[in-house]
Amino acid sequence: MKQYLKNTFWLGLLGALVLIFLATTGKDAEAGVRDISNVSWRVSVNKGKEFKSYEIVKAKDGEPAIGKRSFKFTVMPYDCGYSRYSGWSDCDAGTVRARSEVSSSDNDFTGKDSERWIAFSIYIPKDFQSVWPTKSSFFQVYKRTQNKKSLGPTFMLRDRGNDRLVAELHGSQYDAHYCAGCTSVLSGKNTVMKISDMKGKWTHFKIHFRYTDKKDGFWKVYVNDELKYHVAGTTKSSVVGADRLHLKAGIYQTGTDWYKKSYNKDIPAQTIYMDNIYFSKTEKKLLKLINKTK
């Protein structure tokens, strides 16, 4: 009888711990599906939003996916929210914003003098509409200080209008879209792809970078294994202590009212899919992760 009560106690305790885990992690835990990514994600700036920040969809249901599943990000018109972690509000940000995005900020990494590789694939539906002059970002490398003070993106992949998907570098929180000290190696053009050429199929990206205040820093962006963008020089933020980096994936719109002011109609919804979002210290390991899901 005593053994039975002891077993019952431990089973009950285990069940309670499982329930606590599920209650405290919820959908954030679901965002770590290994078929999609080796990065642990949580939703970003989502409190108060009416619609989901992301969905995990399955290839067997007819959804675009590499392997079995993919992320689906949809931003509905003006669907802004605020962060339960920092208190930041997209609705009160001066230039009103909206996003359907996941962040790896709980698992940031030391960026200073480090060489890293990132891979991700994007599928843009055929009915996708640009919302320029509202700016839409699809992927970010974000910087912050050691005490986790946010300093904004250091890299963004953005729709900048005129059918251009552009690589932007931000040296500090206040820089327009370039890093202090960077010297262009490939003519300075930062358009890496035509958005119209991405519709209805997967486009594969790799980013190789060294984040440093020394002269041997660089950023390289490959699209479908072709080098499209390369800058070299000082790549670290000029803000003192901006040594921590993390990733953001999904759609992030800046200036959601600019579209309506330009065209006198509401901004349309946007949807993209993302898959094979991998992060590594070496290209060899990165390729191993990519090939595993083919």
Side-chain angles (χ1 to χ4, degrees):
M1 184 65 178
K2 288 182 179 179
Q3 185 62 41
Y4 170 77
L5 291 173
K6 185 184 289 187
N7 291 343
T8 302
F9 169 78
W10 287 112
L11 286 171
L13 179 60
L14 179 61
L17 290 172
V18 170
L19 288 174
I20 291 170
F21 173 79
L22 292 174
T24 54
T25 56
K27 289 188 176 180
D28 288 7
E30 187 186 19
V33 173
R34 294 298 170 182
D35 179 58
I36 300 172
S37 179
N38 70 334
V39 180
S40 295
W41 302 98
R42 64 170 171 82
V43 287
S44 176
V45 193
N46 69 311
K47 293 294 287 184
K49 277 173 55 68
E50 184 177 353
F51 299 94
K52 295 179 180 179
S53 289
Y54 73 94
E55 297 176 73
I56 291 178
V57 296
K58 299 178 180 179
K60 69 178 184 180
D61 296 329
E63 298 281 5
I66 301 169
K68 296 179 180 179
R69 303 176 183 87
S70 70
F71 281 138
K72 180 180 181 180
F73 299 102
T74 297
V75 178
M76 299 301 290
Y78 315 112
D79 187 30
C80 59
Y82 66 93
S83 171
R84 57 179 163 171
Y85 302 97
S86 67
W88 167 271
S89 173
D90 281 342
C91 307
D92 303 322
T95 55
V96 182
R97 308 167 190 222
R99 73 181 84 200
S100 287
E101 182 184 69
V102 291
S103 168
S104 72
S105 56
D106 289 341
N107 297 277
D108 62 5
F109 57 95
T110 300
K112 186 179 179 182
D113 299 331
S114 297
E115 204 168 316
R116 308 286 180 175
W117 286 84
I118 304 166
F120 55 91
S121 299
I122 299 176
Y123 181 98
I124 296 182
K126 291 181 179 180
D127 61 354
F128 178 90
Q129 296 181 57
S130 173
V131 293
W132 180 262
T134 297
K135 300 174 185 177
S136 292
S137 167
F138 298 157
F139 192 87
Q140 301 180 61
V141 180
Y142 220 75
K143 59 186 180 294
R144 59 185 180 184
T145 61
Q146 293 286 358
N147 63 0
K148 298 190 176 183
K149 179 183 178 182
S150 177
L151 295 170
T154 193
F155 173 88
M156 299 182 86
L157 192 67
R158 254 181 175 177
D159 173 1
R160 294 282 296 187
N162 295 321
D163 201 24
R164 298 178 303 138
L165 188 64
V166 168
E168 289 185 0
L169 295 180
H170 301 237
S172 75
Q173 188 176 13
Y174 308 103
D175 289 346
H177 59 270
Y178 212 71
C179 59
C182 280
T183 302
S184 173
V185 176
L186 294 184
S187 76
K189 295 180 180 178
N190 56 354
T191 299
V192 298
M193 194 69 180
K194 289 183 178 180
I195 292 176
S196 58
D197 290 340
M198 297 173 64
K199 291 185 177 182
K201 59 186 175 184
W202 286 101
T203 304
H204 309 289
F205 296 85
K206 284 192 299 187
I207 300 172
H208 183 201
F209 68 96
R210 182 176 173 83
Y211 182 73
T212 180
D213 52 12
K214 301 179 177 65
K215 292 183 179 180
D216 61 349
F218 62 87
W219 285 87
K220 297 179 182 180
V221 179
Y222 298 83
V223 182
N224 296 329
D225 289 323
E226 181 182 350
L227 182 62
K228 290 287 191 177
Y229 182 59
H230 181 184
V231 294
T234 302
T235 53
K236 182 180 174 295
S237 171
S238 57
V239 177
V240 175
D243 294 338
R244 306 295 298 183
L245 300 174
H246 62 272
L247 312 178
K248 292 190 174 187
I251 303 175
Y252 168 47
Q253 296 176 343
T254 303
T256 53
D257 56 336
W258 298 343
Y259 182 90
K260 189 168 187 177
K261 289 176 180 177
S262 295
Y263 300 105
N264 197 31
K265 60 182 179 180
D266 285 329
I267 191 171
Q270 285 189 309
T271 293
I272 65 169
Y273 297 79
M274 294 190 71
D275 208 338
N276 277 9
I277 311 172
Y278 295 123
F279 174 82
S280 177
K281 291 183 179 180
T282 66
E283 185 181 20
K284 183 178 179 180
K285 185 176 179 181
L286 190 79
L287 294 175
K288 185 176 180 180
L289 290 165
I290 293 169
N291 291 332
K292 196 173 181 180
T293 56
K294 283 185 178 178

